[in-house]
Amino acid sequence: MTGGADAMSSNADPFGVPQVAAPRPPRHVAIIMDGNGRWAAARGLPRTEGHRRGVEALRRTIGAAIEFGIGTLTVFSFSSENWSRPPAEVQFLFGLLRLFIQRDLADLHERGVRVTVIGARDALPGDIRGLIEQAEGLTAANRALELVVAFNYGARDEIARAARRIAEDVAAGRLDAGAVDETALSTRLDTARFPDPDLIVRTSGEMRLSNFLLWQSAYAEFVFTPVLWPDFDRETLRAALDEYAGRARRFGGIAARSGA
Ligand code: IPE
Ligand code: IPE
Ligand code: MG
């Protein structure tokens, strides 16, 4: 290859067409953990029991993500729109986050998991903010898995907060308005440290994003499974990864043909 050998050279053909087979495993998997309420209703149980069992599914999924070599696992746990649920359910979900950090943090740390929470933190109760800081601080040097918990997260809110930071930086003379580009925005998102999700999985058969990672999902692959979140396990994740591995990712380019 002459001249233009670059970062793409290891996966470029002689005409510079990028190979597009989805890398296996994906670097970043994001999951919309949906269907807890329906799982409970189908069993005549209160919705809260579905949420409780959903935490068990999350534990299984974290273990499987480590096993499968996924670098970053983002889980949608509480959306900025979930405040519209009955106050008792909102409080229950807050309580589950507290319990999850209190009970699982030591084990996550031991397994090398780095925990980060994204979303509008300021609106959360002070004790939860403290627990989040504790989890992020303790695990900051861990590298086995980046676990990103989206809690009180809404993508439009995240983008608006990033835009506000840009405005503040421009007003303070730290940033030239003419230099505002995609990188200026993406580096001010809550997810600045993470690669864009390669794969977004949504459980429970719903086929929408519900205000999750709108900016970051520009070229994500989507897998929708009818499995309700409390039933999600290693095999369901495996199946989603297998589906992803068969996808052709073109990023606006053209598909590479073997031997072409
Ligand atoms: C997902 O399950 C958990 C949260 C959104 C907090 P749901 O509570 O949305 O369950 P369904 O969709 O009503 O079944
Ligand atoms: C999305 O699920 C949010 C989470 C999984 C945390 P919802 O159940 O809130 O989404 P909609 O209301 O069905 O779109
Ligand atoms: Mg739901």
Side-chain angles (χ1 to χ4, degrees), residues 45 60 70 132 145 147 210:
L45 298 170
R60 290 195 293 272
I70 292 166
I132 291 171
L145 173 73
L147 174 66
S210 301

Side-chain angles (χ1 to χ4, degrees), residues 32-34 76-79 82 85 202 206 208 210:
I32 302 173
M33 308 185 290
D34 199 10
F76 201 8
S77 306
F78 187 86
S79 80
N82 287 148
R85 296 187 178 203
R202 184 167 188 156
E206 307 296 352
R208 55 178 170 267
S210 301

Side-chain angles (χ1 to χ4, degrees), residues 41-112:
R43 289 161 180 76
L45 298 170
R47 292 177 56 84
T48 48
E49 191 53 28
H51 295 315
R52 216 192 303 270
R53 295 293 289 265
V55 177
E56 290 172 24
L58 175 59
R59 290 192 182 106
R60 290 195 293 272
T61 304
I62 292 168
I66 296 171
E67 182 191 338
F68 295 154
I70 292 166
T72 303
L73 174 70
T74 298
V75 289
F76 201 8
S77 306
F78 187 86
S79 80
S80 51
E81 287 74 36
N82 287 148
W83 289 97
S84 64
R85 296 187 178 203
E89 181 168 345
V90 172
Q91 287 312 315
F92 189 86
L93 291 166
F94 285 4
L96 277 186
L97 178 64
R98 285 187 183 95
L99 272 180
F100 178 68
I101 295 177
Q102 287 162 349
R103 286 191 190 159
D104 288 58
L105 181 58
D107 179 57
L108 292 170
H109 182 46
E110 192 150 306
R111 291 196 284 166

Side-chain angles (χ1 to χ4, degrees), residues 44-223:
L45 298 170
R47 292 177 56 84
T48 48
E49 191 53 28
H51 295 315
R52 216 192 303 270
R53 295 293 289 265
V55 177
E56 290 172 24
L58 175 59
R59 290 192 182 106
R60 290 195 293 272
T61 304
I62 292 168
I66 296 171
E67 182 191 338
F68 295 154
I70 292 166
T72 303
L73 174 70
T74 298
V75 289
F76 201 8
S77 306
F78 187 86
S79 80
S80 51
E81 287 74 36
N82 287 148
W83 289 97
S84 64
R85 296 187 178 203
E89 181 168 345
V90 172
Q91 287 312 315
F92 189 86
L93 291 166
F94 285 4
L96 277 186
L97 178 64
R98 285 187 183 95
L99 272 180
F100 178 68
I101 295 177
Q102 287 162 349
R103 286 191 190 159
D104 288 58
L105 181 58
D107 179 57
L108 292 170
H109 182 46
E110 192 150 306
R111 291 196 284 166
V113 177
R114 180 174 185 181
V115 180
T116 305
V117 179
I118 61 170
R121 199 175 295 190
D122 291 354
L124 296 176
D127 73 301
I128 291 189
R129 294 204 305 272
L131 284 168
I132 291 171
E133 280 162 25
Q134 186 193 337
E136 291 180 338
L138 177 70
T139 62
N142 292 345
R143 293 292 175 267
L145 173 73
E146 294 269 11
L147 174 66
V148 184
V149 180
F151 199 92
N152 195 25
Y153 175 86
R156 287 180 170 183
D157 171 69
E158 179 193 35
I159 293 167
R161 285 188 283 108
R164 200 179 311 144
R165 284 182 205 141
I166 288 176
E168 287 165 359
D169 286 347
V170 169
R174 290 187 292 264
L175 179 66
D176 188 32
V180 175
D181 57 7
E182 292 184 17
T183 302
L185 200 125
S186 63
T187 53
R188 286 168 178 81
L189 293 172
D190 297 350
T191 53
R193 218 158 48 70
F194 311 110
D196 284 344
D198 301 294
L199 169 63
I200 295 183
V201 178
R202 184 167 188 156
T203 58
S204 85
E206 307 296 352
M207 297 187 193
R208 55 178 170 267
L209 273 175
S210 301
N211 202 13
F212 186 49
L213 301 179
L214 298 182
W215 172 281
Q216 300 87 338
S217 63
Y219 268 102
E221 297 294 328
F222 291 87
V223 169

